[in-house]
């Protein structure tokens, strides 16, 4: 069901899913090969992009998320590594929908955490289901990181990170 939903996402800012299926009991998605590089490089203080470029990237990612949310798909793992920019074609693409879910999907296991904790909204870490708002929170963390070269919350252990996200301003 989720793979079928992903195949319905037709937007220039979302990686195209060509095929989905099951091979030997393992689900798979066959996606387009994207030129360019992910945004991880541009989160380093010495490689920060100019503010207008970051804002243009954020706007394009927000438009891609709005399209996905309009189709009932929540990404659940928005982070720099999952946004690809191709400077030659001026294309920004949201990729890796591997943990995406339909907005109305039930969670199959209690307490299952999917995604990257540093980009997860506090309510997700507390066990609430993912929805469009949690993707918007992750976009805010991504934008913060691209502009400052640091995450708003960063800790040496997962436990400390969870405490910071849940309780720090």
């Amino acid at each position: 069901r989720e793979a079928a939903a992903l195949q319905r996402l037709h937007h220039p800012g979302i990686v195209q899913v060509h095929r989905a299926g099951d091979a030997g009991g393992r689900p798979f998605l066959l996606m387009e090969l994207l030129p360019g590089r992910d945004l991880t490089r541009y989160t380093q203080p010495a490689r920060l992009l100019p503010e207008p470029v970051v804002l243009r990237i954020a706007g394009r990612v927000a438009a891609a998320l709005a399209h996905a949310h309009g189709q009932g798909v929540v990404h659940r793992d928005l982070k720099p590594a999952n946004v690809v920019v191709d400077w030659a074609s001026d294309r920004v693409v949201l990729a890796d929908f591997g943990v995406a879910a339909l907005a109305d999907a039930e969670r199959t296991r209690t307490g299952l955490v999917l995604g990257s904790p540093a980009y997860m909204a506090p309510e997700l870490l507390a066990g609430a289901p993912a929805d469009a708002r949690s993707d918007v929170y992750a976009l805010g963390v991504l934008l913060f990181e691209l502009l400052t070269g640091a995450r708003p919350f960063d800790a040496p252990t997962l436990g400390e990170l969870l405490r910071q996200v849940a309780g720090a301003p």
Side-chain angles (χ1 to χ4, degrees), residues 44-121:
Q44 300 169 19
R47 296 183 180 227
L48 297 180
L49 298 167
E51 185 177 315
V53 173
V54 172
L55 296 176
R56 190 169 70 242
I57 289 169
R60 291 181 181 182
V61 173
L65 284 173
H67 176 76
H69 296 156
Q71 297 295 316
V73 177
V74 180
H75 189 277
R76 295 199 309 189
D77 196 23
L78 180 58
K79 59 186 177 184
N82 291 338
V83 178
V84 177
V85 62
D86 180 24
W87 301 116
S89 68
D90 194 33
R91 187 172 178 213
V92 176
V93 181
L94 180 55
D96 195 357
F97 279 80
V99 296
L102 296 178
D104 63 351
E106 295 286 327
R107 286 163 53 142
T108 56
R109 290 183 238 166
T110 304
L112 181 63
V113 174
L114 295 173
S116 300
Y119 300 89
M120 293 175 72

Side-chain angles (χ1 to χ4, degrees), residues 152-153 163-169:
F153 304 108
R163 277 190 288 284
Q164 287 179 14
V165 172

Side-chain angles (χ1 to χ4, degrees), residues 101-161:
L102 296 178
D104 63 351
E106 295 286 327
R107 286 163 53 142
T108 56
R109 290 183 238 166
T110 304
L112 181 63
V113 174
L114 295 173
S116 300
Y119 300 89
M120 293 175 72
E123 59 271 16
L124 289 181
L125 297 173
D131 63 22
R133 296 170 296 181
S134 49
D135 278 350
V136 172
Y137 178 92
L139 179 58
V141 175
L142 171 73
L143 182 58
F144 185 96
E145 189 173 11
L146 288 172
L147 290 170
T148 67
R151 294 182 188 137
F153 304 108
D154 207 0
T157 67
L158 179 59
E160 180 56 31
L161 176 68

